[in-house]
């Protein structure tokens, strides 16, 4: 018998499946749980059947196995990486946009979704401090893709391809590694990537930047790009955009700000004061799937002058002539790498329209306050020390006991983070700062309570004390 989709009661199935998700509280599930080996093998080896299987059987595998063993970035005790505390409104926006399978390449194919995209890019560009005209941008899948889009744009704005071996770029060890990936894809030789020192607070050392650039100019190199960061992943450090802009303007260098995590703090009460001089940059990466509470994947690259995007990506194809806008800055496919792309802006628009800017501000402020609460709690504990103070709701700390060696102290911090994740209660993995293993917390979930923070740290402490007995 041939398969016929209309024989399935998909209406009931979709309603039931959505209901199941609506009726659960993600934070009652483990914050992370690893799939058992047998299941990994089952799904790696599963064959595509010649004749389709019963939908309820497949859905049961999907719900009880595939979607069960996951790290949950929107769990209220997921403190690692940059969490993804996505609003259910974003999820609703996702359902509605994917249900319509929107082809958001060109204005004529998805006029109003693209009007919404342009509207939000203008709104966020204004928050940065760019002039609405000629600034512009495009929604992309994430911060890595936004950084790549920016690096290629900067390259094309500043040098010709035959000069790449003489072209130098500048970042620090704290720059997100997607910056280095982007430079590699864009063809910058590894030897021409200058790693600038960072200060004690993990921000770029601007004196070292200036000296390095001057030395490069003296040696015949062409400095083209500085990647600064608004909220580094490790510590939330915010670079001095003003001072970097002074140097960039003097040497005709593009300043790209990676604000994948931090830029959303422009909507907080402290807002622009946190990012003095960001408006003097040439481009900003901004992830909505981090602190604008969106589901994956939703981010933006915003540039001061959108004609730079057209310069890099404004290719034409004859089979698209009928839908290509006369005003060639209107079609998103002319502003970035993707042609076929989902209407990512729609879910952010839905969330912002329903929730409003004031509530976004309250939520982002709350994350900053929780980081300060965490700092105070950690400071009250014996043998715990703060390693990086709260910056944009990220802080790091560690257990340190001088009766143990450095390796033993590292081991204790490491093992506690692993045990906590294994327990499923919370995720608070370590990072390495100044060669020390430290716990790193990013406290941005609006539903996290002070008790959640206390209990997470108490459990880490308990695991450490248990393990210390074996040393
Ligand atoms: C500062 C920074 N830049 C870029 C990225 C990469 O973003 P994505 O994971 O959305 O590609 C991250 C991810 O955490 C980040 O924190």
């Amino acid at each position: 018998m041939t398969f016929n989709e209309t024989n399935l009661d998909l209406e009931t199935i979709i309603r039931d499946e959505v209901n199941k998700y609506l009726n659960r509280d993600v934070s009652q599930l483990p914050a992370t749980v690893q799939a058992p080996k047998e299941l990994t093998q089952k799904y790696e080896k599963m064959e595509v059947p010649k004749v389709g299987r019963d939908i309820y059987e497949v859905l049961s595998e999907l719900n009880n196995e595939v979607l069960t063993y996951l790290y949950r970035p929107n769990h209220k005790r997921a403190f690692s990486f940059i969490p993804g505390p996505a609003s259910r409104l974003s999820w609703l926006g996702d359902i509605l946009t994917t249900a319509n399978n929107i082809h958001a390449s060109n204005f004529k194919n998805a006029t109003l979704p693209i009007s919404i995209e342009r509207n939000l890019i203008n709104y966020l560009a204004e928050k940065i401090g760019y002039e609405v005209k000629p600034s512009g941008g495009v929604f992309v899948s994430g911060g890595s893709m936004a950084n790549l889009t920016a690096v290629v744009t900067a390259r094309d704005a500043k040098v010709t391809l035959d000069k790449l071996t003489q072209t130098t770029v500048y970042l620090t060890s704290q720059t997100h590694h997607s910056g280095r990936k982007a430079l590699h894809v864009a063809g910058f030789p590894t030897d021409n990537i200058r790693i600038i020192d960072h200060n004690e607070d993990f921000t770029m050392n601007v004196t070292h930047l200036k000296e390095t650039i001057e030395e490069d100019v003296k040696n015949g190199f062409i400095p083209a790009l500085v990647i600064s960061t608004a909220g580094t992943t490790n510590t939330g450090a915010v670079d001095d955009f003003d001072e970097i802009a002074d140097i960039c303007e003097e040497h005709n260098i593009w300043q790209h700000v990676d604000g994948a995590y931090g830029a959303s703090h422009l909507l907080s009460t402290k807002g622009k004061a946190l990012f003095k001089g960001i408006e003097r940059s040439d481009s900003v990466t901004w992830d909505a799937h981090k602190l604008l509470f969106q589901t994956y994947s939703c981010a933006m690259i915003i540039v001061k002058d959108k004609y730079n995007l057209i310069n890099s990506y404004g290719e034409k194809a004859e089979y698209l002539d009928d839908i290509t806008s006369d005003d060639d800055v209107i079609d998103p496919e002319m502003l970035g790498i993707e042609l076929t792309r989902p209407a990512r802006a729609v879910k952010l628009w839905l969330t912002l329209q329903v929730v409003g800017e004031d509530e976004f501000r309250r939520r982002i402020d709350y994350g900053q306050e929780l980081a300060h609460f965490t700092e105070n709690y950690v400071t009250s504990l014996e043998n715990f020390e703060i390693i990086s103070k709260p910056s944009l709701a990220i802080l790091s700390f560690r257990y340190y006991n001088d009766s143990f060696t450095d390796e033993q102290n590292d081991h204790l911090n490491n093992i506690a983070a692993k045990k906590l994740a294994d327990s499923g209660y919370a995720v608070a993995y370590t990072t390495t700062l100044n060669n020390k293993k430290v716990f790193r917390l990013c406290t941005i979930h609006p539903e996290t309570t002070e008790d959640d923070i206390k209990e997470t740290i108490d459990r880490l402490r308990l695991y450490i004390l248990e393990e210390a007995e074996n040393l």
Side-chain angles (χ1 to χ4, degrees), residues 82 142-145 147 176 178 229 231 233 258 260-261 287 289-290:
I82 306 294
S144 305
M145 194 51 85
N147 284 339
H176 192 266
S178 58
T229 307
T233 322
D258 181 354
Y261 166 59
D287 277 15
H289 65 207
K290 292 186 163 68

Side-chain angles (χ1 to χ4, degrees), residues 48-255:
V48 174
K50 294 276 181 251
V51 178
R53 289 197 287 148
D54 175 60
I55 187 167
Y56 293 101
E57 196 186 301
V58 180
L59 280 173
S60 158
E61 287 179 341
L62 188 57
N63 282 318
N64 300 326
E65 295 175 351
V66 180
L67 300 177
T68 292
Y69 299 97
L70 295 172
Y71 156 64
R72 301 204 178 269
N74 52 338
H75 192 289
K76 67 174 178 154
R77 288 184 301 273
F79 298 113
S80 292
F81 328 116
I82 306 294
S87 153
R88 293 209 291 188
L89 286 163
S90 171
W91 182 50
L92 175 62
D94 249 346
I95 293 174
L96 296 177
T97 46
T98 52
N100 284 287
N101 206 23
I102 298 174
H103 191 280
S105 65
N106 294 66
F107 200 61
K108 279 201 182 120
N109 280 357
T111 305
L112 297 184
I114 291 172
S115 295
I116 281 174
E117 172 161 0
R118 286 157 55 78
N119 169 297
L120 287 180
I121 293 280
N122 288 345
Y123 166 72
L124 298 172
E126 269 192 305
K127 297 278 174 207
I128 294 167
Y130 289 165
E131 299 288 331
V132 166
K133 274 189 179 164
S135 72
V138 67
F139 275 66
V140 293
S141 59
S144 305
M145 194 51 85
N147 284 339
L148 174 60
T149 308
V151 163
V152 170
T153 307
R155 179 199 68 191
D156 296 344
K158 295 297 176 191
V159 288
T160 49
L161 290 184
D162 59 319
K163 294 270 174 14
L164 272 190
T165 51
Q166 293 148 260
T167 306
T168 45
V169 297
Y170 306 82
L171 38 83
T172 77
S173 64
Q174 299 302 301
T175 309
H176 192 266
H177 66 294
S178 58
R180 294 194 300 278
K181 284 192 203 179
L183 292 168
H184 175 67
V185 176
F188 288 99
T190 310
D191 284 350
N192 295 12
I193 300 175
R194 308 286 188 245
I195 307 296
I196 302 301
D197 294 343
H198 60 73
N199 301 311
E200 243 174 56
D201 64 0
F202 300 98
T203 56
M204 186 181 283
N205 182 318
V206 180
T207 309
H208 188 222
L209 174 68
K210 192 171 162 53
E211 287 165 2
T212 311
I213 289 174
E214 284 168 0
E215 186 68 17
D216 279 336
V217 172
K218 220 185 320 158
N219 292 327
F221 287 103
I222 312 166
L225 168 66
V226 174
I227 303 180
S228 58
T229 307
T232 59
T233 322
N234 260 343
T235 65
V238 178
D239 287 331
D240 189 332
F241 309 119
D242 245 344
E243 288 203 23
I244 295 172
D246 286 343
I247 301 169
C248 287
E249 282 166 17
E250 187 184 337
H251 293 280
N252 186 29
I253 299 171
W254 183 288
Q255 181 181 181

Side-chain angles (χ1 to χ4, degrees), residues 326-352:
D326 298 334
D327 175 358
D328 64 2
V329 295
I330 246 176
D331 294 327
E333 72 121 337
M334 304 288 263
L335 304 173
I337 296 161
E338 294 174 295
L339 171 64
T340 305
R341 58 197 285 281
R344 298 185 179 96
V346 171
K347 57 187 174 183
L348 177 57
W349 170 82
L350 174 72
T351 315
L352 276 164

